[in-house]
Amino acid sequence: VIKVLIADDEPGVLSSTSAVLKLFGYAVSTVSDAREIIGILRVERPDVLLQDVRMPGLDLAAHLKAIRSDAEVGRLPIILFTANLDADDVGQRLGADGVIGKPFDPNQLRDLIARLVGARGSGPNT
Amino acid sequence: VLATLLYVFVLGRTQGVAWAAEAILAIAWLYSVAIYILREHPGSVRDPARYLVTVADGALLMAWIAATGGFESPFHVFMYGMPVAVAFEHGHRQAVVASAACAAAYLSLLALLGQLTDNAPEAVIRAGCVLLIGPLGAMVTREAWEQGKAKVELRARATATEDAKKQVEQSLARLEQAQATLQESEERFRKIFHANLDAVALNAHREGWLLDVNDEFLQLTGFSRGDVLGRTADELNLWVDQGERKAVLAELQEHGIIRNRECRFRMKDGTVRWALFSAAVAEVGGRRCVVSFLRDITEREQAAQALRESEERYRRLVELSPDPIVVQVEERFAYVNAAAATLLGAKDPREVTGRSIFDFIHPDDHGAVRERIRQTTPERWPRDLIEEKMVRLDGQVVDIEVAGMPITYLGRPALQLVARDITERRRAERELEESRRAVAMAEKLSALGTLVSGVAHEIRTPSTYVTNNLFLLRHRLELAAQEHPALHDLFQEVVGYCGDALEGTERINRLVQDLRRFTRGEVRRRVAASLHEVAQVALDLFRATRRGHIELAVDLRETVRIVLDRGEMEQVVLNLLTNAADAMPNGGTIRAATRSAAGGAEIEVDDEGTGIPPQVEARLFDPFFTTKADGTGLGLSIARRIVDSHGGTIRHCTQPGSGTRFTVYLPSDASERTGGDV
């Protein structure tokens, strides 16, 4: 089962998005505190991180850099999850693997996750 | 004499003496008549005495012939006549010589003819008679002549004396009359002299002394009578300009009179006054005098001078004025200064003088200018500046402001106009206004961009879980419908509601994106599509959302495929439809049509609404300009931006009260412009 970690501070977004992803058969865990993300990544080892770009206390650039520089989780596919309309190119610049807007077409998100995980091939957790 | 000789020789020898006598008589008459006729022509016979003598010659000769009863021969006639004639003519001495010559000639002739020897004593007696007759006849006749002449002269003298006497009497009578007239005349002169309103002075002609002056003269010059009498004008230092004085005196000398010459005179107190100077030479009281009249025209001259100076000042002011100044008479330029000529695009004021002012006023302003002219009367006229457009000779249009006032120009009612070229000011104002608007617009867009960016985030976040939950709800309901066939229809119905709700969130999402895109000016991906497909989608959306009494009359014809942003073009059509509906608050019919047009396709949206007022029309496509209570002012602005980005045009045609038509044209080669963005 593909594990997805959703990091978002909006409970409504967290619950509905995890429900949608669960519907598609993913194993979903969530985190709403930015400071906990790295720890959870290390513990849970998800296949994909769906990362909200605007969380309280989150410096997105530093955050992504920290993940990428981590020996264990550095190769994790990261999808930026944003309600900001201007984030498309920001995502690319910061080293994310994909960007999905809010609100999103659930099928589109599923396709994106499938593509990223498939491209990663046999990861440590598969 | 020649004729006589001819008869003597020819007729005397052939016809006899009687014939010769008659012939000579006739010749004498002819001779007399000839003399008489010649006398009628002065110059032919100069001395009357001499021809009288000659006539007498003839008469005497005739008398002689008559007394003697003819001559034996013409020689005798000649001989007796000649001495007498010569005696009358030249005197006794010559008559004696002539008698002697005739006697000698007679004797010589007889001798020549050989007759002397036949009758020698008779010949000698006859010759002697000739000698006597000449002087005697001459003496007798001359004495009588002289006496007669003396008598005639005496009588003539008596008559002349009589005439002279009469003339003297007449002269005396006339002289008396003249003296009376003279007295009268001098009396008149005295009256005129003293009662004259002009200053009058009487000078002795030769010496120049002032003999008399009237009171006016004293009043004018400030002198007393004692000051001036017996003095000359020079001594009184009256003349300011000696050259002028000399010229006046010379003219007076030549013509005896001088009229209304403008001269300057110095008064007693040294002030200089202008006077009209007239003078004449006249005999007054038996003395040759000069009467001078001085009419004080100093005030008139000063006024005239002031007027001349004022006119000169005005002329210079107008001619050199940097502001264009014109004078118009009956709607034509009567005067144009240099600045005005330049304003009108002429090199020389003469190029435009005389032309109608309406040749130069922009047709838009003709009405206003006519009204202005109508309001202007010599008593009242508008004081404020009027702004108008002028068309120069080269066709260029300039903005001016004009002030006008009624004047009289060459005796005719006229308008004097002072203009100012405000083209530059106008342009600067327009530019300032445009730049202000551009700045205001940029500020608005910038503020909106920030706002939209923030709001978009806040909308999209809850929108995310609405969408997600609707998605989940629909999914569950679909499953439930399969699990519970009894409730299948109900679940399916609710699934439909979910679908509609999802569509709504989709539209919210799109609106937010459009708004953001507008504030950032993004271009999205384009595909080839046909306008009628786009219009169809927009119409469906419109139908689904619109309430009210709006009828749709749709005439969608298939058009060429055009590379376009479907979403954007749908938005354009939807905006036009929405505006059309808003223009008809009481309902009506919207006609929508698509068709192919030259090089592309057109879509037309037509309403029966209120139309667009002119003041709104100018700002129709301005962002945030709206006339609707709940409008954003973005509809047409976005539509225009979208159409522009497709290389198309959006135009409209409005009729207040009967509706508006918007036509969007898109060229089919837009793909070339977007560089294969398909």
Side-chain angles (χ1 to χ4, degrees), chain B residues 461-513:
Chain B
T461 301
S463 173
T464 305
Y465 47 89
V466 171
T467 309
N468 287 349
N469 287 319
L470 284 169
F471 179 79
L472 292 167
L473 184 60
R474 188 172 66 181
H475 182 74
R476 279 295 159 88
L477 284 168
E478 277 167 354
L479 290 178
Q482 285 166 14
E483 286 164 16
H484 307 283
L487 293 172
H488 181 270
D489 287 353
L490 174 68
F491 287 139
Q492 279 304 317
E493 191 187 333
V494 181
V495 164
Y497 296 155
C498 288
D500 287 352
L502 277 170
E503 211 171 87
T505 57
E506 175 61 26
R507 272 190 58 202
I508 290 172
N509 205 24
R510 206 162 54 216
L511 177 70
V512 171
Q513 281 174 350

Side-chain angles (χ1 to χ4, degrees), chain B residues 138-156:
Chain B
M139 281 165 73
V140 172
T141 51
R142 193 163 182 93
E143 200 67 24
W145 172 256
E146 291 295 334
Q147 274 178 8
K149 204 166 114 187
K151 209 183 272 176
V152 167
E153 275 177 6
L154 199 61
R155 201 176 295 142

Side-chain angles (χ1 to χ4, degrees), chain B residues 207-470:
Chain B
E207 300 87 350
W209 301 326
L210 279 161
L211 300 175
D212 199 2
V213 294
N214 67 354
D215 293 342
E216 299 297 325
F217 184 92
L218 300 174
Q219 206 173 332
L220 173 66
T221 57
F223 288 111
S224 69
R225 202 173 293 275
D227 288 340
V228 296
L229 292 186
R231 313 280 296 277
T232 64
D234 261 355
E235 285 166 350
L236 293 172
N237 201 14
L238 276 174
W239 287 85
V240 172
D241 185 345
Q242 285 299 322
E244 202 169 66
R245 173 172 170 268
K246 279 180 189 147
V248 165
L249 286 179
E251 196 176 331
L252 195 60
Q253 200 69 36
E254 196 180 340
H255 302 293
I257 191 159
I258 186 162
R259 283 201 182 87
N260 294 337
R261 181 71 58 86
E262 288 185 15
C263 300
R264 282 174 301 154
F265 294 96
R266 194 177 290 106
M267 308 295 108
K268 188 182 183 183
D269 61 5
T271 57
V272 171
R273 298 192 77 84
W274 282 93
L276 271 187
F277 179 78
S278 303
V281 177
E283 204 82 24
V284 178
R287 188 167 189 174
R288 209 164 162 70
C289 296
V290 175
V291 192
S292 312
F293 296 82
L294 282 85
R295 178 168 298 173
D296 186 9
I297 55 164
T298 308
E299 256 92 76
R300 196 180 85 187
E301 193 58 31
Q302 278 171 350
Q305 181 70 22
L307 184 64
R308 276 196 294 276
E309 283 172 10
S310 160
E311 277 175 352
E312 177 67 12
R313 273 200 303 275
Y314 167 78
R315 194 178 61 79
R316 279 164 181 252
L317 181 69
V318 168
E319 274 179 10
L320 300 175
S321 163
D323 281 333
I325 298 176
V326 301
V327 174
Q328 100 185 34
V329 176
E330 286 169 4
E331 299 180 357
R332 286 181 182 279
F333 290 121
Y335 171 81
V336 175
N337 77 350
T342 309
L343 174 70
L344 297 172
K347 286 193 183 68
D348 192 283
R350 280 172 294 190
E351 284 178 52
V352 288
T353 308
R355 290 187 60 175
S356 167
I357 59 166
F358 290 105
D359 292 353
F360 296 93
I361 293 170
H362 195 278
D364 290 354
D365 292 330
H366 280 194
V369 170
R370 281 188 206 284
E371 175 60 19
R372 183 80 164 195
I373 291 172
R374 201 186 59 72
Q375 286 172 0
T376 304
T377 64
E379 295 79 30
R380 283 181 57 205
W381 65 91
R383 308 296 167 111
D384 55 321
L385 294 168
I386 179 175
E387 293 188 2
E388 57 189 57
K389 289 196 283 292
M390 297 220 81
V391 184
R392 290 159 51 100
L393 282 175
D394 58 12
Q396 200 185 325
V397 175
V398 290
D399 290 308
I400 59 166
E401 58 185 14
V402 185
M405 65 178 300
I407 59 165
T408 301
Y409 186 78
L410 302 178
R412 302 171 74 187
L415 267 180
Q416 176 171 277
L417 305 169
V418 182
R420 192 173 298 149
D421 187 351
I422 55 168
T423 311
E424 279 305 303
R425 197 174 85 192
R426 267 297 150 79
R427 200 174 55 77
E429 279 171 5
R430 271 197 297 272
E431 280 174 5
L432 187 64
E433 182 57 27
E434 272 165 24
S435 98
R436 251 187 218 142
R437 281 179 64 177
V439 167
M441 189 60 60
E443 279 172 357
K444 268 186 183 177
L445 285 177
S446 164
L448 186 78
T450 311
L451 181 72
V452 165
S453 195
V455 168
H457 185 269
E458 297 313 310
I459 290 174
R460 279 154 60 99
T461 301
S463 173
T464 305
Y465 47 89
V466 171
T467 309
N468 287 349
N469 287 319
L470 284 169

Side-chain angles (χ1 to χ4, degrees), chain A residues 10 12-13 16-17 19-20 23-24 54 81-86 101-104 106-107, chain B residues 453 456-458 460-461 463-465 467-469 471-472 475-476 509 512-513 516 520 522:
Chain A
E10 279 287 337
V13 173
S16 65
T17 306
V20 167
L23 197 66
F24 290 141
R54 254 169 55 171
F81 197 30
T82 177
N84 193 325
L85 285 161
D86 308 325
K102 294 181 193 173
F104 56 91
N107 295 319
Chain B
S453 195
H457 185 269
E458 297 313 310
R460 279 154 60 99
T461 301
S463 173
T464 305
Y465 47 89
T467 309
N468 287 349
N469 287 319
F471 179 79
L472 292 167
H475 182 74
R476 279 295 159 88
N509 205 24
V512 171
Q513 281 174 350
R516 182 62 190 148
R520 290 177 59 184
E522 286 176 17

